């Protein structure tokens, strides 16, 4: 059985001209979802699907364009979040994707029905794509865990549970914003290593974390674990995600119950949710280094080993306030690939999260944790890139950074490439640090 | 300024006869809120206020009985959660309390208007009182932190941050149920100290945690901390709370990011939310032991020191399946008082939670953490009471417990007593462990 189908045909073209642009993140093979409205308008937020530089206003076009399960799914997009659409069974999403694909394809007889429901992305503003009932952050990069572990616990960087347990913890849902989020530098307690007592003030070690955000589709009832073979049926899609972190607050507060105020002041998600179906051509084998323990049975399956990982290229860029003023483009801080970075697959995260009976609900968010690849230049945070703040990064205009300064904009981009497949993108997530 | 007013008058009597019962948790001085409907009915869940053994159907009576701000507040109770009512400014809650008090008082001219809107508690079923957007669990008992710390980290029981930082972490909102919740024993990874590798199966060290649950009323915008002097304006009220915990899963998973699957399989809240106003006569001074560091400025205020703590008596009882079969009443495991147990006040929790800019929303839940008092017999968990599972507890029918067995019911009760005040109660929260 092939995971790909006609919607992945790299030769397929849309009548929306911009979708043919080789650099577009949103060709007809992608079709990601967002919650949007016209910028500055008082319109209700609603679901849209990206095609080239346009947005299909999903529910508005539903009556004319979609039938059966696809019409049900499109109508669910009339709400101000994707939750109702996410809650539908995967066959509804598949039906909608297929009908969207046909309607947007060159020569489609639906062209004239759908065209009036296109809105330029340049005229849109976005909201967080779902009401996030619970947000869980994982820690899937063994490279990140090892490098950061060395800074917090020099003698004991990678804890003995790491290769057995997909380590995760609950994060804050209320402070998750959508790309473009601006937030004030957090205040908090910190303690210098040479000080007897803590002090209070704005964080001096403000950092980002390069992550993917996996959104849950259908949930599970309390007490009913989701087996790893069914894990992906409960994943709706993926976004880019920046888990801003105040390292100095984290160092003082995190024991014994984990990060709290060091993380919950803001987290930023990209607007476009790329579905698992769109990601099908970019699946890769999930293998562990020779000598590592094999996962316990509930975290292991043949298909997970064969195609459980997703090859998603990722890059992080910074643009300081001075760079913006001087019209200097954002400069890359690092680049990696999710499949190189992650020690656990999305299906494993779902299986682990629910094995104790915990219930997931539509719209829940699973953060991947910082996706740092094996090489030092592939690190997904400043803490790693600057050796814990010791080795400054030189920027094109002569500025230097060890951690984020007020006015800094941080941008994460993601895309997928594979032989025989049309490149698709996740768009970008950006955010700006404001002075306290 | 006195914090109490006519609604706290211990001599006040209600025309609802059962409210005069000295053992009733719900005299006219209390007036707590719940979300309820008639048991087994298809009615919509809605807000009610307890009086004696009855429930005032709040929105149903609103038109006839309440005026002005109180009518607005009562009408907000027509929803299936208290969130809209909670979101109102404190003066709305005060107005509603006062008009409820007058309407329920002996001799009230509203007697005949309100009586048709009373429903016996014996005929009601309850829901979780709010849609909980985010649930945070704190760790406010220094006695619990020390005792448990000894078991997890014998050399280092109380970490250096404890007396400076109100330690907290984010918990799971989706698995919070209301009193009467039944849940399956969680499955998970555990590792015996003498084993090289983890094993998988049902938890063998299932425990409860005696907590209070403080519900947020009005929220705050992202980036705008709530100062300690305003902290209580954002607290709507308190419930009993049981944070079930699988100690063996916790021990293996909790480093470095804190508890996760060991906690998120179920947590249980009592139906009745006792307001801060009802608690006013039971406020006590908050003092730290001689020699302990004073709280940092943002966690300190004159009024917090003077009346920041709440004297709430608490007890925990167990009834095993065999005890139920033999009609043996639940037996007490421990008893303590919240003010004896907690090292941080509710106002300090709000101030700390938001000092970094984190936003709270109406209906958010702040768990106190396990409320263990200073004496060993005051411990709020089996882990503490049995010395980490080493000293079994003997039950009246000859059974023994170190941790919870399948079929065990665990009950927490809470009440407040003070000189010159009518005793009020929080009711109870119960839950039952089911076999996996």
């Amino acid at each position: 059985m092939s995971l790909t189908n006609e919607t992945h045909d790299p030769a397929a073209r849309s009548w929306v001209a911009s979708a043919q642009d080789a650099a577009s993140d949103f060709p007809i093979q992608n079709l990601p979802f967002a919650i949007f409205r016209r910028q500055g308008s008082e319109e209700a937020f609603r679901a849209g699907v990206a095609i080239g530089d346009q947005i299909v206003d999903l529910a508005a076009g539903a009556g004319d364009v979609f039938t059966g399960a696809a019409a049900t799914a499109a109508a669910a997009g009339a709400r101000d979040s994707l939750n109702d659409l996410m809650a539908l069974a995967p066959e509804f999403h598949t039906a909608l994707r297929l009908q969207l694909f046909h309607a947007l394809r060159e020569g489609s007889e639906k062209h004239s029905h759908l065209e009036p429901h296109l809105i330029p992305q340049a005229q849109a503003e976005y909201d967080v794509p779902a009401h996030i009932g619970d947000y869980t952050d994982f820690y899937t990069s063994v490279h990140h865990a090892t490098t950061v572990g060395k800074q917090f616990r020099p003698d004991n960087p990678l804890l003995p549970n790491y290769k057995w347990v997909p380590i995760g913890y609950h994060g804050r849902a209320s402070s998750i914003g959508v790309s473009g989020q601006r937030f004030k530098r957090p205040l908090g307690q910190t303690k210098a290593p040479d000080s007897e007592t803590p002090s209070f003030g704005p964080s001096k070690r403000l950092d980002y974390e390069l992550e993917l955000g996996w959104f849950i589709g259908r949930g599970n009832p309390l007490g009913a674990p989701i087996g790893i073979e069914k894990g992906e049926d409960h994943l709706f899609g993926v976004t880019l995600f920046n888990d801003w972190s105040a390292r100095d607050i984290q160092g003082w507060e995190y024991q014994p119950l984990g990060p709290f105020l060091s993380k919950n002041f803001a987290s930023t998600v990209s607007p476009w949710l790329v579905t698992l179906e769109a990601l099908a051509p970019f699946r890769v084998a999930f293998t562990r280094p020779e000598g590592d323990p094999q996962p316990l049975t509930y975290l292991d399956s043949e298909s997970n080993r064969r195609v459980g990982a997703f090859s998603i290229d990722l890059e992080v860029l910074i643009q300081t306030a001075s760079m913006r003023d001087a019209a200097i483009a954002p400069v890359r801080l690092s680049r990696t690939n999710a499949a190189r970075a992650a020690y656990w697959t999305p299906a494993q995260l779902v299986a682990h999260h629910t094995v104790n009976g915990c219930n997931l609900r539509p719209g829940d968010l699973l953060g991947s944790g910082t996706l740092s690849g094996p090489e030092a230049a592939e690190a997904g945070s400043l803490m790693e890139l600057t050796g814990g703040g010791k080795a400054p990064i030189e920027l094109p205009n002569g500025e230097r950074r060890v951690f984020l300064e007020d006015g800094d904009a941080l941008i994460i981009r993601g895309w997928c490439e594979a032989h025989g497949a049309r490149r698709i993108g996740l768009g970008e997530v950006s955010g700006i640090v404001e002075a306290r």
Side-chain angles (χ1 to χ4, degrees), chain A:
Chain A
M1 184 199 101
S2 170
L3 290 164
T4 60
N5 59 39
E6 63 173 306
T7 67
H8 302 102
D9 176 3
R13 296 167 56 89
S14 171
W15 48 261
V16 178
S18 57
Q20 266 60 258
D21 182 345
S24 174
D25 280 345
F26 307 126
I28 195 168
Q29 294 82 358
N30 193 350
L31 304 176
F33 292 86
I35 290 293
F36 82 102
R37 67 177 176 189
R38 283 189 182 80
Q39 216 162 38
S41 75
E42 295 293 313
E43 293 175 359
F45 277 103
R46 57 201 186 270
V49 174
I51 181 74
D53 61 7
Q54 302 291 309
I55 303 172
V56 181
D57 192 343
L58 199 58
D64 291 342
V65 177
F66 308 109
T67 60
T72 305
R79 317 291 147 71
D80 69 352
S81 81
L82 292 174
N83 295 60
D84 288 355
L85 177 57
M86 291 166 152
L88 297 171
E91 44 271 33
F92 286 83
H93 307 144
T94 299
L96 179 57
R97 173 179 172 82
L98 193 61
Q99 290 190 22
L100 269 167
F101 178 82
H102 286 150
L104 288 165
R105 203 164 181 178
E106 261 184 2
S108 165
E109 61 190 22
K110 301 284 174 68
H111 181 150
S112 61
H113 291 289
L114 208 48
E115 196 156 29
H117 303 300
L118 294 187
I119 292 164
Q121 287 163 28
Q123 292 171 22
E125 64 185 13
Y126 302 95
D127 201 355
V128 177
H131 293 306
I132 299 168
D134 280 290
Y135 149 49
T136 303
D137 203 22
F138 284 93
Y139 198 53
T140 62
S141 165
V142 66
H143 313 294
H144 172 73
T146 306
T147 308
V148 171
K150 265 183 203 149
Q151 295 181 22
F152 280 94
R153 299 171 303 275
D155 306 334
N156 200 14
L158 194 68
L159 294 166
N161 57 13
Y162 188 86
K163 293 182 175 178
W164 298 97
V165 179
I167 296 292
Y169 68 107
H170 292 293
R172 182 86 194 169
S174 71
S175 51
I176 296 175
V178 74
S179 186
Q181 188 177 25
R182 305 174 76 100
F183 63 90
K184 290 206 171 83
R185 178 177 295 273
L187 292 165
Q189 285 191 42
T190 58
K191 196 181 83 61
D194 57 353
S195 170
E196 280 287 299
T197 58
S199 56
F200 180 81
S203 168
K204 292 178 184 142
R205 294 164 71 91
L206 186 61
D207 203 352
Y208 63 86
E209 292 193 337
L210 161 63
E211 301 202 14
L212 289 172
W214 298 92
F215 275 88
I216 296 297
R218 271 190 310 172
N220 62 305
L222 190 66
I226 299 169
I228 188 167
E229 293 285 8
K230 297 280 179 199
E232 291 183 0
D233 291 350
H234 295 262
L235 286 168
F236 183 79
V238 72
T239 56
L240 300 163
F241 188 59
N242 183 347
D243 181 28
W244 308 94
S245 298
R247 302 300 178 191
D248 42 0
I249 297 173
Q250 188 175 356
W252 174 231
E253 76 168 1
Y254 91 105
Q255 284 193 328
L257 300 181
F260 179 48
L261 297 190
S262 52
K263 301 274 197 174
N264 66 10
F265 54 90
S267 320
T268 315
V269 69
S270 60
W272 291 108
L273 241 162
V274 174
T275 63
L276 251 66
E277 212 168 341
L279 293 173
F282 312 103
R283 292 170 160 281
V284 290
F286 167 68
T287 48
R288 291 190 152 192
E290 185 104 354
D292 275 14
Q294 286 311 296
L296 294 183
T297 308
Y298 79 96
L299 295 171
D300 194 25
S301 80
E302 187 278 333
S303 78
N304 190 58
R305 268 173 271 138
R306 189 163 45 82
V307 289
F310 294 85
S311 176
I312 302 174
D313 288 305
L314 297 161
E315 66 173 359
V316 181
L317 305 98
I318 193 171
Q319 187 184 44
T320 68
S322 303
M323 288 168 69
R324 269 199 305 284
D325 290 345
I328 301 172
V331 60
R332 186 190 287 162
L333 290 173
S334 71
R335 182 175 165 177
T336 187
N337 178 284
R340 279 171 66 82
Y343 196 78
W344 301 99
T345 68
Q348 287 175 320
L349 303 186
V350 172
H352 183 66
H353 204 316
T354 61
V355 72
N356 68 341
C358 181
N359 56 328
L360 303 177
R361 295 179 294 190
D364 284 354
L365 176 63
L366 311 186
S368 62
T370 310
L371 291 171
S372 301
E375 304 297 329
E378 292 178 71
S381 71
L382 284 172
M383 192 187 195
E384 293 161 88
L385 290 171
T386 68
K390 294 192 188 99
I393 293 167
E394 184 111 14
L395 300 177
N397 61 346
E399 287 184 286
R400 299 171 135 216
R401 285 293 179 274
V402 284
F403 289 103
L404 296 171
E405 302 290 338
D406 296 340
D408 286 357
L410 201 288
I411 303 124
I412 300 173
R413 294 184 187 141
W415 65 93
C416 303
E417 292 175 319
H419 184 70
R422 172 66 161 83
R423 174 193 180 281
I424 65 171
L426 280 71
E428 68 173 41
V429 60
S430 69
I432 294 189
V433 182
E434 294 184 336
R436 163 58 54 185

